[in-house]
Every structure is written in structure tokens, then in C-alpha cells.
């Protein structure tokens, strides 16, 4: 039975039988993987704790007919314990892995893997506000999937300028000519915040006032869910999105 190694993030798990689990993994080189970890729920399991959600591991798998089989697992990033210790951090991480799980195989690239690992690491270490980490992750994940929002020119006609509208269904900021009648205006500092989130300009992001951060978060959530074509279940549980 052929085997292979890869680096993976555990996105979600499901119980199987008495002691096994089915894992959904985002890998660095092989896209999304569904695999069985046999005996992982037993207390004697050597690698059960390494295959919990939000954990990053170097795994060896064998090819199966429907599901691959985990043979070995070595921890690369033990982020799970720090993430689950804080409810807001946990729900933020849940929204991130849920988004990653929505990727189809063509979109599950090494860049998506590295982006998710970096986001989970930042959450676990408390480097930045969790809401901003999520917003930056969502914008970048959408961009890597081919849905980069237009933030410097009108998403519809291409006119460069500081535009006052942001419409997810049109692909980003829009000029007054292209925005449908009745569209709500967006403050300039909110658009600047979206640009900073996309570029990872953390000094600007961390220094932004709460109203700007909240306004940008609402637009990011609307944009991501529009392109994912359904809601992200974890978002309503985040205090910053209520």
C-alpha cells in the first residue's frame, strides 16, 4: 500500500466506531485530505493529542480506497490548547478552519495552508486582536481563491480613486456611478482598513479605532460569505460580529 508524508492542519474530526476518528486535513502539498486515525481515541494512543482540531502536524499516511490512513504523526505546532482556552479565540479559529474546509481541491494550495498556519499561530500567541486576525485571513483566503476584492479602483468600471461604496456582489469598492441607487456609503478610513488587512500592515491595523475595525469586519464577513455562497456558522458566535 503506497505511503506519503505531508504537513497538515487538522480542520475537523468525526468519531468512527469505538476508538477511531475521521480527520479532514488541509495539507501543504496534497490539498485537502480525508483520513482515518485508527485507535486515536484510546488513552494509550501515541498521537491522539497531535490530531485534534487546530493542530499542525507532520504525518505519514497510506493510500486507501476511500479514506487514507494515518500511520504516524509528529507535532509541528501545538496551537490547540492555547486556542480552546479562550472562547473568542476558539470561535475565531473555528471560523478560519471552517472557511478552509470550504475550499475545493483546486483552491487548497500550499499558500492556503501557510496562510491558515500563520493565522492559527498568531491567535495562539495572542499577537493581534482575534477579530483582525480573522478579517485578514478571510480577505487573503478569498484572494488566493481568485476572489480578491477591488480596493484601489472601481470593481465594476476600473476607475482609480477613493470611492465611497463597497459592494460584495460587485467585487469590492465601487464609484458613485456604478453603485446602485440607495447603496450605503463607506468611510474612507474603513476602506483604508480593508487595504491594511489585505496587505498585513499590522501597525496600522492594531492602531485603528474600534469603530473602524468593526465597520471593516462587517464588510469582510459580507464579502467572504457572499463568495462562499453560504454563511460561516461560527461567525454569529463571535462577540465582535453580533
Amino acid at each position: 500500500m503506497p505511503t506519503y508524508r505531508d504537513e497538515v492542519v487538522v480542520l475537523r474530526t468525526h468519531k468512527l466506531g469505538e476508538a477511531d476518528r475521521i480527520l479532514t486535513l488541509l495539507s501543504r502539498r496534497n490539498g485537502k485530505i480525508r483520513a482515518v486515525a485508527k485507535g486515536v481515541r484510546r488513552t494509550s494512543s501515541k498521537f491522539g493529542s497531535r490530531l485534534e482540531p487546530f493542530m499542525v502536524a507532520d504525518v505519514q499516511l497510506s493510500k486507501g480506497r476511500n479514506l487514507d490512513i494515518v500511520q504516524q504523526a509528529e507535532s509541528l505546532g501545538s496551537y490547540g490548547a492555547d486556542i480552546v482556552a479562550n472562547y473568542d479565540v476558539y470561535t475565531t479559529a473555528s471560523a478560519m478552519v471552517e472557511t478552509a474546509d470550504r475550499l475545493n481541491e483546486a483552491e487548497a494550495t500550499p499558500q492556503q495552508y501557510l496562510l491558515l498556519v500563520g493565522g492559527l499561530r498568531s491567535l495562539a500567541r495572542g499577537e493581534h486582536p482575534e477579530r483582525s486576525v480573522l478579517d485578514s485571513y478571510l480577505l487573503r483566503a478569498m484572494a488566493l481563491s481568485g476572489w480578491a476584492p477591488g480596493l484601489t479602483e472601481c470593481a465594476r468600471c476600473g476607475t482609480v480613486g477613493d470611492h465611497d461604496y463597497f459592494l460584495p456582489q460587485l467585487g469590492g469598492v465601487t464609484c458613485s456611478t456604478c453603485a446602485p441607487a440607495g447603496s450605503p456609503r463607506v468611510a474612507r478610513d474603513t476602506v483604508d482598513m480593508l487595504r491594511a488587512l489585505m496587505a498585513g500592515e499590522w501597525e496600522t491595523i492594531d492602531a485603528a479605532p474600534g469603530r473602524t475595525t468593526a465597520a471593516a469586519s462587517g464588510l469582510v464577513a459580507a464579502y467572504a460569505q457572499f463568495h462562499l455562497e453560504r454563511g460561516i456558522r461560527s461567525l454569529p458566535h463571535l462577540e465582535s460580529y453580533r
Side-chain angles (χ1 to χ4, degrees):
M1 188 177 296
T3 63
Y4 65 100
R5 297 192 72 88
D6 208 340
E7 298 174 17
V8 302
V9 179
V10 181
L11 303 181
R12 57 191 173 97
T13 67
H14 297 288
K15 293 179 181 179
L16 178 67
E18 293 290 328
D20 304 341
R21 275 201 181 105
I22 296 176
L23 313 176
T24 301
L25 312 168
L26 179 63
S27 75
R28 184 165 189 161
R29 293 180 291 274
N30 291 278
K32 282 203 303 183
I33 300 169
R34 281 174 54 80
V36 175
K38 294 188 175 181
V40 75
R41 288 160 50 206
R42 295 195 182 99
T43 56
S44 59
S45 172
K46 295 180 180 179
F47 52 78
S49 62
R50 303 168 193 167
L51 296 174
E52 295 291 335
F54 317 125
M55 302 296 276
V56 183
D58 180 345
V59 297
Q60 178 172 306
L61 305 104
S62 59
K63 286 286 188 181
R65 179 176 299 177
N66 297 313
L67 298 171
D68 294 349
I69 299 172
V70 179
Q71 296 182 328
Q72 297 177 10
E74 298 295 334
S75 177
L76 295 177
S78 300
Y79 306 132
D82 291 326
I83 287 173
V84 301
N86 181 295
Y87 178 78
D88 284 341
V89 174
Y90 169 75
T91 50
T92 299
S94 297
M96 291 168 63
V97 298
E98 182 184 346
T99 300
D101 193 22
R102 297 277 182 84
L103 303 173
N104 62 43
E105 287 302 325
E107 296 165 352
T109 62
Q111 291 78 16
Q112 290 280 11
Y113 166 83
L114 293 171
L115 178 66
L116 181 59
V117 170
L120 294 175
R121 181 190 301 118
S122 181
L123 284 177
R125 295 176 177 175
E127 295 175 344
H128 306 286
E130 56 268 13
R131 175 167 63 182
S132 297
V133 174
L134 174 59
D135 290 340
S136 183
Y137 170 77
L138 290 175
L139 284 178
R140 295 190 198 185
M142 293 299 100
L144 288 172
S145 297
W147 298 318
L151 298 175
T152 58
E153 58 187 35
C154 176
R156 189 169 188 180
C157 70
T159 301
V160 177
D162 292 323
H163 303 305
D164 297 325
Y165 302 90
F166 183 93
L167 300 169
Q169 65 272 28
L170 294 183
V173 296
T174 56
C175 65
S176 57
T177 301
C178 293
S183 299
R185 289 180 178 270
V186 176
R188 297 287 174 84
D189 59 353
T190 302
V191 177
D192 290 340
M193 181 66 166
L194 293 174
R195 292 170 181 158
L197 289 165
M198 177 67 85
E201 297 171 351
W202 288 104
E203 288 188 9
T204 299
I205 296 166
D206 292 342
R211 60 175 179 78
T212 301
T213 301
S217 290
L219 296 178
V220 171
Y223 187 83
Q225 293 181 107
F226 176 82
H227 288 287
L228 290 171
E229 298 182 345
R230 57 178 175 171
I232 299 172
R233 293 189 303 272
S234 303
L235 284 186
H237 299 287
L238 281 168
E239 182 178 353
S240 56
Y241 284 91
R242 292 174 192 162

